C-alpha cells in the first residue's frame, strides 16, 4: 500500500508539514522566550540604569535612603513600588524582594517571606551577595534561557547598611504563552495534515491517475494489445510522456506488423521452397524443417535427429566447429534421387546449432547425363557414315582395277552416307532451333484434311512399292486448325513414314482423324513390328531406336520422333504411342483447334 505513488505523495506531504510546523514552532517558542527575557532585563535596566548601578540616578537615591539608620527598608520598598509599573511587577508572576545584603535574609517584598523562601537560590543572587561581601557592588543580571525563571539582584549599599533588591519573574506568562502557541501549532499542524491529504488527492488526480493510466496501457501493450491511444490531458511532463508513449506504441505496432509480415513471407517461402531446409539445435534435435526436406528424404523427419539424418555424412561436432561462412557439402542418394547436402553452423544462443540445406539435383544430373549421351550419340552417328565414306573413298583411291558397277555402287554408298549426315545435321539444327525457341512457328489457319491428304499423297508411292494398304478414315467435316502447316506436315510425314518403314511389306496402315472437344486427334496405326512397351516412351528421346541396325538401314536418324514431339508440344498438343496388346503400333497426336493466343481475337 505504501509503495503506491499516491501513498508516497501523502507521506511526503505529511512529513513536510510536520517537520515544517515543528521547526516553525520551536523557532517561535524559543524566540518568544528570548523576547520576554530581553524585555525583562530592558525594563529592569530602564529603571535601575545599566549594569553599572553607580551611574543610575534611581540607584543613587536608593543608596542614599539605604544609609538611613531607621526605616530604610520601608523607604526602599516605597520607592520600588513607585516604579512597579515600569518594572512590570505584578503579584502573580513578577515580584520584588528586599533582602539583607550580607545574609540574604528576607526583609520586605511584594510577597510573603514564605513565598520567597520557596524560591531557588539563583546565581544572580549569589553574585550580588558575594559582591557585597567583597566590598564591591556587582549586579547579578545574567540571563539563562534554560532556567525556568528570570531574575536580577541589585546590591544597594548605604552607610553600614547593605541590601539586595531582588526581582524575580517565574516566567509563567512566557510558559502560558508558549503553551498557547504550542496548542495553535498543533491545531495548525492538524489542519495542515488535513489539507495535505486533500491536496494529495488533488495532486493524484492530476499526476497519479495519468501515470496509472499510462502504466495500465503499457501493461496492455506488453501483452500485445495495442488498443486505442491513451488520452493526453495536459501539456506538462506527464502529457509529453503520454504523447511520446502513444507515438512509441504506434511505431512499435507498425514495426511488429512489418516484422510479422516479413515473417509470414519467410514462412510461406520456407514452406513452399523447393529446397529442403532443416535446422538443428546444439544437441542434434530438430528445431525447424520444411515439407520439402521431408519429401526429399522420404520420411517425416521431425521424428529423427541429426545423427539419424546426416550423422553418416558429417558428425554434428564437425559442422558446429566450422567458422562462418565456411560450410560442408556432400551428396546423398535417397530412393533413386540425388540430393546435394550443405551443412553450415548457426549461432543459436550459447550452444550453437547447424543448418542443413538439401537440393535435389536429380533432374540436373539427368540432364547432364542426357547431354553427355547426346554428344556421344551425335559423335557416334556422324562417325559411322564418315568411317564408311572414308573406307569407300580409300578403296576407290587404292584399288586400280575396280569394275565400273562396283565403283558406282561405292560412290552411291558415299552419296547415301553424306545424305544421311546431311539429314542428321539438318535434324540436329531443327532440334536445336526448337530447343532454343528460335524456330518461329508460322501460325496460319489451314485445313487439317488438306495437310493429311498431302502427306498421304507424298508417301503413297512408297507404300505401294512396299505393298502396304493405306487407309484413311476421317470424321467429316474436319475443322480448320491453327498451326505451322509445314512443321505439322513434317510430324505427320515422320509418323506415317515410320509406319511404312517398320511394317513388313504388305501391311495395313491406317490414318484416322476426328474432333474431340477443343482438339483434333490423329491416329496412325500399322500392323508392323510394334514397339515393346518398355521402349514406348523412350523412342521420343534423341537418337533412341529400338532396333538400331534396322533403323539405320532404313535411313532413320533416331531424331524424327524427338523433333515431332517438340513441334507438337510447341503447338500445345501431345504425341504418344498408344498402349495396346498385339502386333503393330498406334501413334496418337492431339492438337488444339485454336491456339491460346488467338482466343481473344475472334
Ligand atoms: P528413326 O529415324 O530411327 O525412325 P524416329 O525417332 O522416327 O527415328 O523413331 C525412333 C524409333 O522408334 C525407331 O528407330 C523405331 O525403332 C521406333 N519406331 C518408330 N515408329 C515405329 C513404328 N511405327 N513401328 C515400330 N517401331 C517404330
Amino acid at each position: 500500500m505504501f509503495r503506491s505513488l499516491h501513498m508516497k505523495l501523502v507521506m511526503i506531504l505529511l512529513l513536510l508539514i510536520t517537520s515544517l510546523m515543528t521547526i516553525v514552532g520551536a523557532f517561535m517558542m524559543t524566540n518568544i522566550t528570548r523576547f520576554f527575557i530581553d524585555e525583562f532585563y530592558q525594563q529592569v535596566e530602564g529603571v535601575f540604569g545599566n549594569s553599572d548601578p553607580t551611574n543610575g540616578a534611581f540607584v543613587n537615591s536608593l543608596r542614599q535612603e539605604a544609609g538611613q539608620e531607621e526605616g530604610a527598608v520601608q523607604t526602599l520598598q516605597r520607592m520600588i513600588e513607585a516604579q512597579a509599573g515600569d518594572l512590570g511587577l505584578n503579584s502573580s508572576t513578577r515580584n520584588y524582594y528586599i533582602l539583607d545584603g550580607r545574609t540574604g535574609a528576607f526583609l520586605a517584598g511584594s510577597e510573603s517571606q514564605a513565598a520567597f523562601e520557596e524560591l531557588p537560590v539563583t546565581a544572580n543572587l549569589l553574585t550580588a551577595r558575594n559582591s557585597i561581601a567583597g566590598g564591591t557592588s556587582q549586579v547579578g543580571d545574567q540571563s539563562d534561557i534554560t532556567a525556568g525563571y528570570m531574575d536580577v539582584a541589585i546590591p544597594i549599599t548605604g552607610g553600614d547598611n547593605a541590601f539586595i533588591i531582588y526581582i524575580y519573574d517565574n516566567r509563567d506568562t512566557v510558559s502560558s504563552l508558549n503553551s498557547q502557541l504550542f496548542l495553535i501549532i498543533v491545531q495548525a499542524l492538524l489542519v495542515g495534515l488535513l489539507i495535505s491529504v486533500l491536496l494529495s488527492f488533488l495532486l493524484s488526480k492530476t499526476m497519479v491517475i495519468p501515470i496509472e493510466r499510462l502504466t495500465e496501457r503499457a501493461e496492455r501493450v506488453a501483452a500485445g494489445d495495442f488498443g486505442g491511444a491513451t488520452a493526453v490531458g495536459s501539456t506538462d511532463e506527464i502529457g509529453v510522456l503520454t504523447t511520446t508513449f502513444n507515438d512509441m506504441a504506434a511505431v512499435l505496432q507498425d514495426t511488429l506488423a512489418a516484422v510479422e509480415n516479413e515473417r509470414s513471407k519467410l514462412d510461406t517461402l520456407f514452406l513452399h521452397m523447393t529446397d529442403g531446409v532443416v535446422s538443428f539445435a546444439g544437441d542434434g534435435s530438430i528445431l525447424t524443417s520444411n515439407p520439402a526436406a521431408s519429401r526429399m528424404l522420404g520420411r517425416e523427419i521431425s521424428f529423427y535427429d541429426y545423427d539419424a539424418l546426416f550423422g553418416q555424412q558429417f558428425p554434428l561436432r564437425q559442422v558446429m566447429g566450422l567458422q562462418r561462412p565456411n560450410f560442408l557439402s556432400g551428396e546423398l542418394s535417397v530412393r533413386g534421387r540425388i540430393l546435394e547436402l550443405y551443412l553450415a553452423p548457426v549461432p543459436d544462443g550459447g550452444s550453437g546449432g547447424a543448418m542443413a540445406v538439401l537440393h535435389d539435383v536429380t533432374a540436373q544430373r539427368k540432364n547432364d547425363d542426357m547431354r553427355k549421351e547426346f554428344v556421344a550419340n551425335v559423335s557416334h552417328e556422324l562417325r559411322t557414315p564418315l568411317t564408311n565414306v572414308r573406307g569407300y573413298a580409300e578403296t576407290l583411291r587404292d584399288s586400280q582395277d575396280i569394275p565400273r558397277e562396283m565403283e558406282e555402287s561405292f560412290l552411291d554408298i558415299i552419296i547415301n552416307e553424306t545424305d544421311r549426315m546431311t539429314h542428321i545435321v539438318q535434324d540436329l539444327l531443327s532440334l536445336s532451333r526448337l530447343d532454343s525457341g528460335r524456330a518461329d512457328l508460322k501460325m496460319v489457319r489451314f485445313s487439317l484434311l488438306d495437310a493429311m491428304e498431302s502427306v498421304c499423297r507424298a508417301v503413297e508411292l512408297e507404300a505401294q512399292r512396299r505393298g502396304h494398304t493405306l487407309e484413311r478414315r476421317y470424321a467429316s467435316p474436319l475443322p480448320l486448325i491453327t498451326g505451322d502447316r509445314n512443321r505439322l506436315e513434317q510430324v505427320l510425314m515422320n509418323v506415317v513414314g515410320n509406319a511404312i518403314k517398320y511394317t513388313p511389306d504388305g501391311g495395313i496402315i491406317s490414318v484416322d482423324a476426328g474432333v474431340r472437344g477443343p482438339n483434333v486427334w490423329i491416329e496412325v496405326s500399322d500392323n508392323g513390328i510394334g514397339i515393346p512397351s518398355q521402349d514406348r516412351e523412350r523412342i521420343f528421346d534423341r537418337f533412341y531406336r529400338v532396333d538400331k541396325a534396322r533403323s539405320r538401314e532404313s535411313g532413320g536418324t533416331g531424331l524424327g520422333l524427338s523433333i515431332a514431339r517438340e513441334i507438337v508440344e510447341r503447338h500445345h498438343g501431345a504425341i504418344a504411342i498408344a498402349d495396346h496388346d498385339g502386333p503393330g503400333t498406334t501413334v496418337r497426336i492431339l492438337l488444339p483447334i485454336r491456339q491460346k493466343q488467338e482466343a481473344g481475337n475472334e
Side-chain angles (χ1 to χ4, degrees), residues 57 147 161 225 255 287 293 381 399 401 423 433 486 503 541 575:
N161 292 338
D225 171 17
T255 312
L287 293 174
E381 292 298 327
S399 312
D401 41 359
H423 273 144
R433 282 210 191 96
N486 284 339
T503 303
D541 290 351
I575 177 167

Side-chain angles (χ1 to χ4, degrees), residues 270 276-282 284-290 293 301 306 310 344 346 348 353-357:
F270 188 63
V277 180
V278 193
S279 68
F280 299 94
S285 58
I286 290 180
L287 293 174
T288 45
S289 69
N290 66 350
I301 58 170
Y306 180 88
F310 309 121
V346 177
D348 171 39
M355 173 84 83
V357 177

Side-chain angles (χ1 to χ4, degrees), residues 501-568:
K501 264 197 296 191
Y502 301 108
T503 303
D505 290 356
I508 301 169
I509 290 149
S510 61
V511 180
D512 302 55
V515 180
R516 191 188 304 142
N519 301 311
V520 288
W521 58 268
I522 304 155
E523 251 180 35
V524 180
S525 310
D526 61 57
N527 58 349
I529 58 171
I531 302 169
S533 57
Q534 69 272 17
D535 293 317
R536 280 182 193 153
E537 190 47 38
R538 296 211 60 195
I539 56 162
F540 293 98
D541 290 351
R542 291 158 195 202
F543 294 114
Y544 190 85
R545 283 166 291 201
V546 178
D547 182 344
K548 284 195 177 16
R550 187 176 188 142
S551 162
R552 209 169 280 130
E553 234 171 62
S554 54
T557 59
L559 292 170
L561 284 179
S562 320
I563 296 172
R565 179 167 266 184
E566 288 288 341
I567 294 172
V568 169

